[in-house]
Amino acid sequence: MASVGYRDNLFFNLTEEEKEEFTCSICCHILRQPHECKNSHQFCHFCITRWSHHASHGSCPMCRVDGLYRENVELEERINQKIVRCEWKKCFWTGPLANLETHLHTVYVERSRRDAYHSLGLDTNRSRQSERSRKIENSITKQNTALSQNIQKLDLQSHAKFEKIYKRIIEDEWQKLKKGENIKRRFMKLRRHIEEEDMRMLHRIKEVEMRKLKEIENNKRRVKSLDLTKEKFRDTSLRRSLRKDKEIKDENILQKHRIENMLKRRKSEKDKSEEKLKEIERVKSERSENFQRRLEREEREWKEKLADLLRKIRETEKKKNEEIKTMQTEIKRDKEREYKQKNISFFNVYRK
């Protein structure tokens, strides 16, 4: 019976690269009966059948690619060659993975025998209990045969389910192929339509090119006619240009004479203005000299007047001082007279 992949604990000395290579992307165990998709994503046989049954489609769970899954025989042989230990802790058996199922069968049979003997209270070393042990062995063999039959039935059921899933996948692929044919037909129609449009565009482009060629020829004819007309008008244009050149030269000569006259006038005006400026400066200088002379005279007069005033002030001060002195002398004399009169009156009184 197919089941989930092997556990990592069973294997000896598996590197990380080998683990990544041998692991199933659904159950995350070591692969059992490995199958792969188109993009080489690997799964256990049981895991991928269960996935396709539940998901109701045959797409890969990793890359979503539709299609059948191919059995990877080389990888299965490499996994079967790896050394494995027994699942039972007390057992020290080691060997390749291909021999694990036979070893487990013998181990489980011996274990079931021992458990049965101990449950019945029998001793295996004694010869008296041989008949009972044979009966127990027969019952165990019957149980094992029943189990094997049940396993075969389950295998048949799983095979039938797998066939149903396989048929569904084939039908889905057939429908997809039909859809692809319809898409091809539509594509062919579109391709024809595009080709027809391309032909129409080519015809239009050719028509446009022919029109352009005709227009170019007409333009050439027009250019030729214009060249002839230009040659005719060249003589007249030359005459006109010569006349215009003469007129322009005459005008330039007149302008030169006018400019020379203007320059002469401006020079004369400049000379006159310079003479006027010189006269004005002369008058200014004379006026300034006269003004300075007047100022000097006035200063002298004012100085003389100030000197006279100072003399008069000094004289008046002297007179005042003299008058004050005379007044003081008179006051002293008056005081002395009064004092004498008082003394005389006092003496007379005292005398009396």
Side-chain angles (χ1 to χ4, degrees):
M1 178 183 172
S3 62
V4 186
Y6 301 104
R7 288 181 293 176
D8 297 336
N9 297 324
L10 298 175
F11 292 88
F12 281 106
N13 298 323
L14 271 178
T15 61
E16 292 182 356
E17 293 178 356
E18 288 177 348
K19 283 181 182 179
E20 289 179 357
E21 188 179 359
F22 297 156
T23 51
C24 175
S25 57
I26 294 171
C27 65
C28 297
H29 291 298
I30 303 298
L31 292 163
R32 188 192 290 260
Q33 294 179 0
H35 285 67
E36 64 181 3
C37 68
K38 291 179 182 179
N39 292 325
S40 68
H41 291 120
Q42 296 169 359
F43 310 99
C44 297
H45 183 260
F46 178 76
C47 295
I48 197 66
T49 52
R50 188 172 62 182
W51 164 260
S52 60
H53 178 68
H54 286 293
S56 70
H57 57 77
S59 62
C60 177
M62 298 295 290
C63 61
R64 303 296 179 185
V65 174
D66 295 329
L68 297 172
Y69 296 94
R70 185 175 64 83
E71 187 176 1
N72 196 346
V73 180
E74 293 178 358
L75 197 141
E76 189 175 3
E77 288 178 355
R78 285 174 64 193
I79 292 166
N80 287 326
Q81 288 175 3
K82 294 290 177 183
I83 296 166
V84 181
R85 64 167 65 89
C86 183
E87 291 181 354
W88 192 34
K89 292 181 181 179
K90 293 181 180 180
C91 182
F92 297 101
W93 178 86
T94 56
L97 182 65
N99 298 327
L100 181 65
E101 291 181 356
T102 57
H103 171 69
L104 289 172
H105 181 70
T106 56
V107 168
Y108 288 133
V109 169
E110 289 176 358
R111 194 188 297 173
S112 62
R113 284 179 184 175
R114 288 173 188 173
D115 292 334
Y117 291 152
H118 287 296
S119 63
L120 294 170
L122 299 174
D123 192 1
T124 55
N125 294 322
R126 293 178 183 179
S127 61
R128 294 177 183 178
Q129 297 174 354
S130 61
E131 292 179 358
R132 291 181 182 177
S133 65
R134 286 175 187 173
K135 289 179 181 179
I136 290 162
E137 285 177 0
N138 290 323
S139 65
I140 288 163
T141 52
K142 287 178 182 179
Q143 288 177 2
N144 287 325
T145 53
L147 286 168
S148 64
Q149 288 176 1
N150 289 323
I151 288 163
Q152 287 177 0
K153 287 179 182 179
L154 290 169
D155 285 329
L156 291 169
Q157 289 176 2
S158 65
H159 186 69
K161 287 180 181 179
F162 180 74
E163 285 180 352
K164 287 179 182 179
I165 291 160
Y166 184 70
K167 286 178 182 179
R168 285 179 186 174
I169 290 163
I170 289 165
E171 287 177 357
D172 291 332
E173 286 183 353
W174 181 250
Q175 288 177 0
K176 286 175 184 177
L177 288 169
K178 286 181 179 179
K179 288 179 181 178
E181 287 178 356
N182 292 323
I183 290 161
K184 282 181 181 179
R185 288 174 186 172
R186 290 178 184 175
F187 179 73
M188 291 298 287
K189 285 181 181 179
L190 288 169
R191 193 173 179 182
R192 288 173 187 171
H193 183 67
I194 289 161
E195 287 177 355
E196 289 176 356
E197 286 184 352
D198 290 332
M199 292 296 288
R200 288 175 186 172
M201 288 295 290
L202 288 169
H203 286 299
R204 288 177 185 174
I205 289 161
K206 285 180 181 178
E207 289 177 356
V208 170
E209 286 179 353
M210 292 296 287
R211 287 177 186 174
K212 284 182 179 179
L213 289 169
K214 287 179 181 179
E215 287 178 357
I216 289 162
E217 288 177 355
N218 292 322
N219 288 323
K220 284 180 180 179
R221 289 174 185 173
R222 287 175 185 173
V223 168
K224 285 180 181 179
S225 64
L226 289 168
D227 290 330
L228 292 169
T229 53
K230 282 180 181 179
E231 287 177 356
K232 288 179 182 179
F233 285 107
R234 271 177 190 174
D235 296 329
T236 56
S237 64
L238 285 168
R239 289 173 186 174
R240 287 176 184 175
S241 64
L242 290 168
R243 286 176 186 175
K244 285 181 180 179
D245 290 331
K246 285 180 181 179
E247 289 176 356
I248 289 162
K249 284 180 181 179
D250 294 330
E251 286 179 357
N252 288 323
I253 290 161
L254 290 169
Q255 284 180 358
K256 282 181 181 179
H257 288 297
R258 286 174 185 173
I259 289 162
E260 287 176 356
N261 292 321
M262 288 291 289
L263 290 169
K264 287 178 181 179
R265 287 176 186 174
R266 285 180 181 178
K267 283 181 181 179
S268 64
E269 287 177 355
K270 280 183 180 180
D271 294 330
K272 287 179 181 180
S273 63
E274 286 177 356
E275 288 176 356
K276 285 180 181 180
L277 288 169
K278 286 179 181 179
E279 288 178 356
I280 289 161
E281 286 178 354
R282 193 183 296 165
V283 170
K284 282 182 179 180
S285 63
E286 289 177 356
R287 286 180 181 177
S288 63
E289 287 176 356
N290 292 322
F291 185 71
Q292 285 179 357
R293 288 173 185 174
R294 285 178 186 176
L295 287 172
E296 288 177 354
R297 287 176 186 175
E298 287 178 355
E299 283 180 358
R300 287 174 186 173
E301 289 176 356
W302 281 105
K303 284 180 181 179
E304 289 176 355
K305 286 179 180 180
L306 285 168
D308 293 330
L309 287 169
L310 288 169
R311 286 174 189 173
K312 288 178 181 180
I313 288 162
R314 286 174 184 172
E315 288 176 355
T316 53
E317 284 180 355
K318 284 180 181 180
K319 287 178 180 180
K320 284 180 181 180
N321 289 322
E322 288 177 355
E323 288 177 356
I324 288 162
K325 285 179 181 180
T326 54
M327 289 291 287
Q328 285 178 357
T329 54
E330 287 178 356
I331 288 162
K332 282 180 180 181
R333 287 175 184 174
D334 291 331
K335 283 181 179 181
E336 286 177 355
R337 287 174 186 174
E338 287 177 358
Y339 182 72
K340 285 178 180 182
Q341 286 177 4
K342 284 179 181 181
N343 286 324
I344 291 164
S345 62
F346 181 74
F347 183 74
N348 290 321
V349 171
Y350 182 73
R351 193 174 178 183
K352 287 176 179 182

